[in-house]
Amino acid sequence: MARLTPTSYAVLALLARRPYSAYDLTGELKNSLSHCMPRSSTLLYREPKNLVAHGFAEVEIQMKGRQKRAVYSITSDGRKVLAEWLASPPAAPVFESEAVVRMVFAHLGSRDDLVAALETLENQVRDLTQAGFDAYTGWFERFPPPPEHLADQALIAGLYVDLYLMLIQWSQRARKAVLERPAEWPPDAQEAAWAQLEDVLARAPLANPKFKRK
């Protein structure tokens, strides 16, 4: 048996709503969680079988026309372990962006390439925003949400609206800063860049955000 992961518990949480076929379960996960938990379809298809192996889900073979399909539902043990997971501390958030990785190593390439990568990031964020809107299509019919869930969704939507706006605005500022850099750095440029970095780090959300150079 594979160990349980956050993806396992997300699958279990969907099964707590109602039974799903593996196909429908994968589609629902991609619609509901692609922004905060992107996973491959192959991985998602394996999770229901893993939950069955642990005894947290059970499978029933049903006929749909002439085709057989496996329909998964949660067990009482599954509900118990789901409740324990919901009450446990969550893992630390993870942020990943290839555009930011490109900026880490941008000094090895050209400024034009960095600017192009940032422009691509902005377009990708706009595409992600549209995908988020599209995910709500048919959502109320598939799972009529209770007020508690709707209120949670409003808070989550606010997070992503703020995050995506921040990413676009940051990228636009970064592109402007890169384009305004001199063709040749002056002699005192390193000290000025250090001072700029210190100013940025001083805004970090720490109890004592003072940054000192060693």
Side-chain angles (χ1 to χ4, degrees):
M1 290 185 296
R3 66 181 182 88
L4 296 183
T5 66
T7 307
S8 308
Y9 289 107
V11 172
L12 199 58
L14 285 178
L15 293 179
R17 292 178 175 176
R18 64 174 177 82
Y20 280 93
S21 69
Y23 176 82
D24 291 338
L25 194 58
T26 300
E28 192 65 35
L29 280 164
K30 285 188 172 295
N31 280 332
S32 303
L33 301 176
S34 59
H35 290 273
C36 56
M37 185 182 280
R39 298 291 187 272
S40 69
S41 296
T42 302
L43 176 63
L44 295 178
Y45 269 111
R46 289 201 300 261
E47 284 299 340
K49 295 179 181 178
N50 186 33
L51 291 172
V52 171
H54 280 275
F56 300 144
E58 55 189 10
V59 59
E60 179 185 358
I61 304 301
Q62 298 181 352
M63 297 299 297
K64 187 177 182 180
R66 296 183 177 180
Q67 293 184 331
K68 294 180 180 179
R69 67 172 187 168
V71 176
Y72 295 87
S73 57
I74 193 170
T75 64
S76 57
D77 285 345
R79 291 187 183 279
K80 180 180 178 181
V81 76
L82 176 62
E84 292 172 353
W85 174 70
L86 290 170
S88 66
V94 176
F95 174 78
E96 182 175 333
S97 168
E98 187 176 338
V100 176
V101 176
R102 300 280 185 92
M103 178 167 278
V104 172
F105 300 110
H107 62 286
L108 302 174
S110 73
R111 292 178 183 176
D112 288 342
D113 288 341
L114 175 57
V115 168
L118 292 170
E119 288 178 332
T120 300
L121 171 64
E122 293 164 31
N123 290 328
Q124 290 168 338
V125 170
R126 294 185 180 97
D127 290 342
L128 286 170
T129 303
Q130 185 60 56
F133 276 94
D134 294 343
Y136 282 109
T137 303
W139 180 56
F140 289 88
E141 289 73 23
R142 294 195 308 273
F143 177 69
E148 184 83 8
H149 188 41
L150 275 176
D152 291 341
Q153 286 294 312
L155 293 172
I156 294 169
L159 168 66
Y160 282 105
V161 168
D162 292 345
L163 175 62
Y164 289 163
L165 277 174
M166 181 274 293
L167 283 173
I168 288 178
Q169 291 167 357
W170 169 82
S171 180
Q172 291 171 339
R173 291 196 305 271
R175 282 196 293 114
K176 182 174 183 292
V178 170
L179 290 170
E180 290 177 350
R181 288 174 182 171
E184 297 289 337
W185 291 103
D188 62 345
Q190 187 178 50
E191 189 62 30
W194 266 117
Q196 183 182 24
L197 177 58
E198 289 175 334
D199 288 342
V200 171
L201 294 178
R203 304 199 310 267
L206 299 173
N208 183 15
K210 191 173 182 180
F211 173 73
K212 294 181 179 180
R213 281 183 265 172
K214 292 184 178 180

